[in-house]
Amino acid sequence: MSSGGAGVRQGTATEPLLPSSIPTDSHSVEGLEQPAAVTMVRNENLSRRALPVQASALLFVAVVWSTILSTMSITRLALFGYHPLIQSIGILLLLQAIVVLQRTSTHAPAEKKAAFNAHQTINLLLVLPLFTVGASIMYYLHDQPGASHWISYHGILGSLCVVVAWIQAALGAASVWWKGKLVGGENKGKALWKWHRLSGYVLVALFLTTAVLGVVETTWGKKNSSFFQKILVVAALGLAACAVLIRVQSSKLPKLA
């Protein structure tokens, strides 16, 4: 397969870097249509095999939004109310960014390229800004006279997750942009990408844990959510975590032993 006369390098399923000769949009290469990022999202995220992740994530969002909107007026929503609404959407989109890239292989480099574009676009343009805005709201509210910072494990872990998420994104970008030149070359970039993938799964687990703590540990969550809503949140996020874990390809992770 070639594009503009440049040969496409074949790789193994464990190679994380993307062939530079693969176009980022939909062009014909030897008569084959190259998938765009939107196409990959539709094919992967809306596929039957992604249904467990999507159903669990949507259930979580539905419970959070129903809890907030049943206690606050949508037309006069307090500043605090935007925090769980924004963060729940952030978690939903974070899972989308993972799902679209999880099952790709360098045996289908065009699809891998498109999935990577979707992954970084969702994370950089949606997930990180949303998490940052949501966390900033709570920082502002806890910075008011009479309030204190870091009064719950939810707040501590949530703040840590947002900071680490930006670092995670920076290291992930450095490992693949310009063939890993920012981290010392392509081989080092490949090695770093595997750790980026592993740490990403850990970070997702921490984000989901933070969301659970928001319902079961914080004062507002304990007072304003019913026992049934708490159970639904814990179950939905637990199922989402399991559904993501089942999709993990161990060959794409670094060897720990």
Side-chain angles (χ1 to χ4, degrees):
M1 183 181 294
S2 63
S3 176
V8 176
R9 176 175 52 83
Q10 296 297 320
T12 66
T14 60
E15 285 186 346
L17 294 188
L18 304 166
S20 59
S21 56
I22 296 297
T24 58
D25 54 358
S26 293
H27 292 294
S28 178
V29 178
E30 288 190 356
L32 298 178
E33 188 75 9
Q34 299 300 303
V38 174
T39 301
M40 285 303 299
V41 170
R42 182 170 62 248
N43 292 345
E44 289 295 324
N45 297 56
L46 300 182
S47 66
R48 182 175 299 178
R49 58 181 175 269
L51 182 59
V53 179
Q54 305 296 20
S56 303
L58 289 173
L59 174 60
F60 162 68
V61 172
V63 174
V64 171
W65 279 62
S66 65
T67 301
I68 296 299
L69 298 182
S70 65
T71 56
M72 301 181 186
S73 170
I74 186 63
T75 58
R76 292 180 294 178
L77 192 64
L79 182 59
F80 164 79
Y82 289 98
H83 170 74
L85 299 183
I86 291 172
Q87 302 304 69
S88 63
I89 295 299
I91 287 177
L92 174 65
L93 291 172
L94 175 62
L95 293 174
Q96 306 312 308
I98 294 170
V99 168
V100 72
L101 192 58
Q102 265 190 311
R103 306 302 296 178
T104 57
S105 167
T106 50
H107 293 305
E111 292 183 357
K112 186 176 181 68
K113 179 75 172 181
F116 172 77
N117 288 338
H119 174 81
Q120 68 173 356
T121 299
I122 294 171
N123 277 326
L124 295 179
L125 298 186
L126 296 173
V127 175
L128 287 173
L130 284 173
F131 279 151
T132 303
V133 169
S136 298
I137 288 174
M138 295 311 298
Y139 185 89
Y140 170 79
L141 292 175
H142 282 278
D143 204 41
Q144 301 305 301
S148 301
H149 290 288
W150 330 126
I151 59 175
S152 68
Y153 291 114
H154 168 77
I156 295 171
L157 185 57
S159 299
L160 179 64
C161 283
V162 173
V163 172
V164 173
W166 280 101
I167 298 173
Q168 168 82 358
L171 292 177
S175 69
V176 293
W177 289 359
W178 303 293
K179 292 188 175 182
K181 289 182 179 179
L182 294 176
V183 294
E186 189 170 9
N187 289 334
K188 290 184 178 180
K190 290 178 181 180
L192 179 59
W193 179 263
K194 287 188 176 184
W195 286 102
H196 168 81
R197 183 181 285 114
L198 177 60
S199 60
Y201 285 127
V202 174
L203 184 58
V204 169
L206 293 177
F207 267 118
L208 299 184
T209 301
T210 301
V212 168
L213 290 175
V215 176
V216 303
E217 186 234 353
T218 64
T219 301
W220 193 95
K222 288 189 289 187
K223 288 184 177 180
N224 293 278
S225 61
S226 67
F227 177 76
F228 182 62
Q229 287 171 322
K230 291 181 177 69
I231 292 297
L232 282 179
V233 166
V234 173
L237 293 178
L239 289 172
C242 291
V244 169
L245 184 62
I246 291 172
R247 293 169 52 88
V248 172
Q249 299 183 63
S250 59
S251 62
K252 292 185 175 183
L253 301 176
K255 294 182 179 180
L256 302 178

